[in-house]
Amino acid sequence: MMRRLLAVTTSLGLLAASCGGGDEQATGGGQGQVVCETFSVLTGDNDNERSAFYALEQGIVTSDIIGELEISYTTIPGLIAAVGTGQYDVTLTSVPGVVLAREGGVDLRVLGVTLAHTGGGFKTYVRNDSDLQTGEDLKGKTYGVTSFGSTGTIADRIILAKGYGLDSNIEGGDMKWVELDPPTLLAALLRGDVDAADLFHNVGWEAMNHPDLRILIDSDNEFRELTGEWIAGAAFVVEPQVLEEKRECAVEFRRMLLESVEYVEQNLDEVAEAIAPVSDVPAEFIRYWWSGNHEYGGSIEDEWLDRAQNVWDEAFELGLLPAAPDIRELIIE
């Protein structure tokens, strides 16, 4: 069941004053006139996104040209469904979702690439008593994922095809694919309703520490070995009308987000303790996520563009995506 969409409106200037830090805590983009009275962002309803946006919601990072930053959170399927609707000025979507939307006629532009799995949390798990010992053994088995349209599923399909020689098509391939929300998928794996499951973020962390589960495929590390890059999971995207009307505010939001991410990295204990009860995850996991096991990013630096381009190129080569555009032609400077 999709969680209720939660909208959080942050009046940045007022929040900065009410937090007690005033100008000493808040940072801004320089003196200027308000360009956008409101600017709306839809992102993922999970602990890493809420951590990344913490300094924005607390008024620690502010703007002179954005009056109110409206932040909404939803699930991965909700993010995918929102692209192309014009509901938000900026939307987080999967890396393959950018290509699919563009092929469907939505001229998306990339504001920033984010969410890299850098070795610490994107794995395929099986039960300890499973007879599966390697990826080849998945042929004829049931494989669970959290979203068919996610970057993680595309990465799985690349790994299974390139690394294990399997037909990774969701329809008519070597495995039966099942799509379940993360907690349900973990429970299904433990019950034996699926033979293997791709788990990441806090559910992957639970699986990693569960005495009845083990790793079958070290997915993020194997992806890098096969392709030369870490998996870049998502991108913040902007639709044409927003780019035409609010380009300056979109670029300003990226600056604010990068400052907010920097705040997390420098104040991880504070953020972890604040976000843990909101996201219903242990603070220990948030510290784990942000301590080199993943990278949040959000920028258009070459390292991040290369990671996203790599996903597109690899998927296109295997026929998993209909195109692989040059991401550098799509970025918002």
Side-chain angles (χ1 to χ4, degrees), residues 48-129:
N48 52 274
E49 291 301 317
R50 290 182 181 275
S51 297
F53 279 77
Y54 174 81
L56 299 178
E57 296 202 286
Q58 296 302 314
I60 297 166
V61 175
T62 65
S63 173
D64 294 322
I65 69 171
I66 296 177
E68 289 187 359
L69 184 64
E70 299 175 348
I71 306 167
S72 300
Y73 299 91
T74 191
T75 58
I76 292 175
L79 292 171
I80 294 171
V83 172
T85 66
Q87 291 179 275
Y88 301 93
D89 295 320
V90 173
T91 304
L92 184 71
T93 195
S94 69
V95 166
V98 177
V99 173
L100 295 174
R102 289 182 58 80
E103 290 295 299
V106 183
D107 186 20
L108 293 182
R109 300 291 162 157
V110 175
L111 186 64
V113 180
T114 185
L115 296 178
H117 297 283
T118 53
F122 178 66
K123 319 290 182 186
T124 295
Y125 290 89
V126 295
R127 296 176 305 284
N128 285 337
D129 61 1

Side-chain angles (χ1 to χ4, degrees), residues 41-52:
V41 179
L42 180 67
T43 191
D45 188 6
N46 53 54
D47 54 275
N48 52 274
E49 291 301 317
R50 290 182 181 275
S51 297

Side-chain angles (χ1 to χ4, degrees), residues 9 11 17 23 28 50 52 57 83 90 100-101 103 138-140 200 244 254 265 276 289 303 317:
T9 302
S11 178
D23 293 337
R50 290 182 181 275
E57 296 202 286
V83 172
V90 173
L100 295 174
E103 290 295 299
L138 284 167
K139 188 170 183 178
F200 54 96
E244 181 179 347
R254 180 173 62 206
E265 294 169 346
W289 197 97
E303 178 183 37
E317 180 183 337

Side-chain angles (χ1 to χ4, degrees), residues 4-333:
R4 179 176 60 87
L5 183 68
L6 174 63
V8 180
T9 302
T10 305
S11 178
L12 294 171
L14 293 176
L15 253 178
S18 66
C19 283
D23 293 337
E24 293 182 2
Q25 286 190 0
T27 61
Q31 297 300 315
Q33 185 176 1
V34 171
V35 176
C36 301
E37 293 295 337
T38 62
F39 193 79
S40 59
V41 179
L42 180 67
T43 191
D45 188 6
N46 53 54
D47 54 275
N48 52 274
E49 291 301 317
R50 290 182 181 275
S51 297
F53 279 77
Y54 174 81
L56 299 178
E57 296 202 286
Q58 296 302 314
I60 297 166
V61 175
T62 65
S63 173
D64 294 322
I65 69 171
I66 296 177
E68 289 187 359
L69 184 64
E70 299 175 348
I71 306 167
S72 300
Y73 299 91
T74 191
T75 58
I76 292 175
L79 292 171
I80 294 171
V83 172
T85 66
Q87 291 179 275
Y88 301 93
D89 295 320
V90 173
T91 304
L92 184 71
T93 195
S94 69
V95 166
V98 177
V99 173
L100 295 174
R102 289 182 58 80
E103 290 295 299
V106 183
D107 186 20
L108 293 182
R109 300 291 162 157
V110 175
L111 186 64
V113 180
T114 185
L115 296 178
H117 297 283
T118 53
F122 178 66
K123 319 290 182 186
T124 295
Y125 290 89
V126 295
R127 296 176 305 284
N128 285 337
D129 61 1
S130 171
D131 59 357
L132 304 181
Q133 299 300 322
T134 181
E136 289 99 335
D137 298 333
L138 284 167
K139 188 170 183 178
K141 302 299 184 178
T142 302
Y143 191 93
V145 296
T146 56
S147 172
F148 290 152
S150 72
T151 309
T153 299
I154 285 283
D156 286 329
R157 296 173 68 191
I158 292 168
I159 294 166
L160 293 169
K162 292 193 70 168
Y164 297 100
L166 295 173
D167 180 346
S168 62
N169 283 313
I170 290 176
E171 296 291 338
D174 284 335
M175 292 147 292
K176 178 183 178 182
W177 294 77
V178 177
E179 181 183 50
L180 297 168
D181 68 78
T184 303
L185 180 56
L186 175 58
L189 178 62
L190 289 168
R191 287 195 306 267
D193 294 341
V194 297
D195 296 303
D198 159 16
L199 299 170
F200 54 96
H201 290 320
N202 63 300
V203 177
W205 188 71
E206 288 182 45
M208 182 176 64
N209 292 286
H210 200 289
D212 297 330
L213 298 177
R214 59 180 168 85
I215 294 171
L216 178 71
I217 300 175
D218 187 6
S219 305
D220 37 20
N221 285 300
E222 291 190 28
F223 185 89
R224 191 186 193 197
E225 291 171 4
L226 288 167
T227 72
E229 297 282 355
W230 292 118
I231 303 165
F236 285 102
V237 295
V238 177
E239 296 176 31
Q241 183 177 350
V242 174
L243 189 58
E244 181 179 347
E245 297 174 356
K246 299 182 178 181
R247 184 187 190 101
E248 184 177 356
C249 297
V251 173
E252 173 71 348
F253 162 69
R254 180 173 62 206
R255 177 198 67 78
M256 296 169 70
L257 178 62
L258 291 174
E259 284 197 21
S260 188
V261 169
E262 184 178 0
Y263 185 88
V264 181
E265 294 169 346
Q266 295 176 355
N267 301 273
L268 183 52
D269 285 339
E270 171 196 338
V271 176
E273 294 298 332
I275 296 301
V278 177
S279 291
D280 193 25
V281 299
E284 180 185 356
F285 165 68
I286 297 176
R287 294 186 187 96
Y288 170 84
W289 197 97
W290 286 88
S291 297
N293 298 292
H294 308 78
E295 293 177 12
Y296 188 85
S299 75
I300 52 171
E301 294 179 355
D302 284 342
E303 178 183 37
W304 285 92
L305 297 181
D306 289 344
R307 289 170 175 173
Q309 186 72 59
N310 179 60
V311 172
W312 291 352
D313 291 344
E314 293 286 341
F316 177 64
E317 180 183 337
L318 292 170
L320 309 182
L321 281 179
D326 184 347
I327 194 170
R328 286 171 171 77
E329 295 180 359
L330 305 181
I331 62 171
I332 301 168
E333 297 283 1

